[in-house]
Amino acid sequence: MTYNNVLSESANGVCTITVNRPSKLNALNTETISELHEAFKAADQDDQVKVIIVTGSGEKAFVAGADIAEFADFSVSEGEKLASSGQARLFDFVANLSTPVIAAVNGFALGGGLELAMAAHFRLASDNARMGLPEVSLGVIPGYGGTQRLPQLVGKGRAMEMIMTAGMIKADKALEYGLVNHVTSQEDLIPKCHEIAGKIMTNSSVAIAAAITAINSNYEAGENGYDTEITEFGKCFGTADFKEGTQAFLEKRKALFPGK
């Protein structure tokens, strides 16, 4: 599929999805959110794709925020619809994909950009990255899950400070906070993502999908993560991957998971 604001390339089991609006510092507008949804959906449905990397084009920004001009004149009901549809179509969608998603934060990740990175299953950052949720400086709050995911990742107090001050933190501080897993030079960022993706791909994609479901359930209202873990654990026993994995272990050989 051809997109106006997104690039999607797949090779060797990895799909790289790039937000491609460099003149706008890759800011998210409605069209870009819709295209990202379609790109993530296509990658998740491709049996050859085992890991998805999401990043931004150029060297300045991952995603520098939402396209403010698009919603500056919205009413209350339009604002609610913007947040609701965006969360469902992209941010929650990404968080709940069965294919692992790694965010490669290459520069500014602000507002909706940081929210997209936080929706990914984990994050790596280049050493020039800057991250923050500056929405209160515009008289609004994060609307794409930022008030929920940031406290989950860095703790309530740090999230409160970051959101209330509307400030940015550098990559080393994001690493200290646990917001990102690794910090690299800009040129090493994508190779490091591929290195981790390679390790992921040696394991059962079926079991990884089950683990994502179990981990996410702990953060869902009304869900008991332990109960979900028990259910997903049990389901694994009925998969071809479980049979291959246990047989390979007993035979002291490398498992060749069929992904079923």
Side-chain angles (χ1 to χ4, degrees):
M1 178 180 272
T2 302
Y3 305 106
N4 292 322
N5 302 320
V6 170
L7 303 174
S8 182
E9 299 177 333
S10 297
N12 303 317
V14 178
C15 177
T16 301
I17 296 174
T18 305
V19 183
N20 188 35
R21 298 184 75 207
S23 65
K24 299 289 187 180
L25 293 179
N26 303 322
L28 298 178
N29 59 4
T30 302
E31 181 183 35
T32 306
I33 286 174
S34 180
E35 290 185 354
L36 282 168
H37 169 83
E38 294 300 331
F40 276 108
K41 182 179 178 181
D44 190 50
Q45 292 176 345
D46 186 343
D47 291 339
Q48 299 303 309
V49 172
K50 304 301 180 185
V51 178
I52 300 169
I53 296 171
V54 59
T55 192
S57 63
E59 298 181 351
K60 292 183 178 180
F62 171 74
V63 172
D67 197 332
I68 297 167
E70 191 174 59
F71 58 79
D73 297 323
F74 274 17
S75 66
V76 171
S77 61
E78 287 173 322
E80 289 182 359
K81 183 178 179 181
L82 179 73
S84 176
S85 62
Q87 286 188 27
R89 189 152 181 79
L90 180 60
F91 300 87
D92 289 348
F93 183 78
V94 168
N96 291 296
L97 282 184
S98 59
T99 305
V101 179
I102 304 171
V105 181
N106 56 318
F108 291 108
L110 304 175
L114 182 54
E115 287 170 307
L116 176 59
M118 291 192 294
H121 298 126
F122 59 93
R123 290 142 296 283
L124 280 69
S126 57
D127 51 17
N128 69 321
R130 301 291 184 270
M131 286 157 265
L133 296 175
E135 285 88 347
V136 298
S137 69
L138 300 173
V140 70
I141 68 170
Y144 289 143
T147 64
Q148 306 304 300
R149 291 192 175 97
L150 187 62
Q152 292 168 6
L153 291 165
V154 307
K156 182 179 178 181
R158 284 172 173 166
M160 286 283 195
E161 180 180 355
M162 286 180 65
I163 291 171
M164 289 180 186
T165 62
M168 292 184 289
I169 61 172
K170 296 180 179 180
D172 57 350
K173 183 65 70 173
L175 181 64
E176 177 188 333
Y177 281 5
L179 185 54
V180 302
N181 290 26
H182 304 274
V183 174
T184 73
S185 64
Q186 190 150 34
E187 57 268 26
D188 289 337
L189 179 60
I190 298 300
K192 181 64 175 180
C193 288
H194 278 275
E195 176 190 330
I196 295 173
K199 294 177 180 178
I200 291 171
M201 288 189 288
T202 65
N203 301 311
S204 163
S205 59
V206 176
I208 287 170
I212 291 171
T213 298
I215 293 168
N216 281 344
S217 69
N218 185 55
Y219 300 97
E220 297 291 334
E223 294 289 328
N224 185 309
Y226 292 100
D227 288 344
T228 303
E229 180 183 275
I230 291 168
T231 299
E232 294 298 325
F233 178 80
K235 287 180 181 178
C236 289
F237 283 73
T239 68
D241 275 12
F242 174 75
K243 292 179 174 60
E244 167 61 14
T246 52
Q247 195 63 36
F249 177 83
L250 294 172
E251 295 174 0
K252 298 182 180 179
R253 60 174 175 81
K254 184 178 179 180
L256 298 173
F257 293 109
K260 299 178 182 178

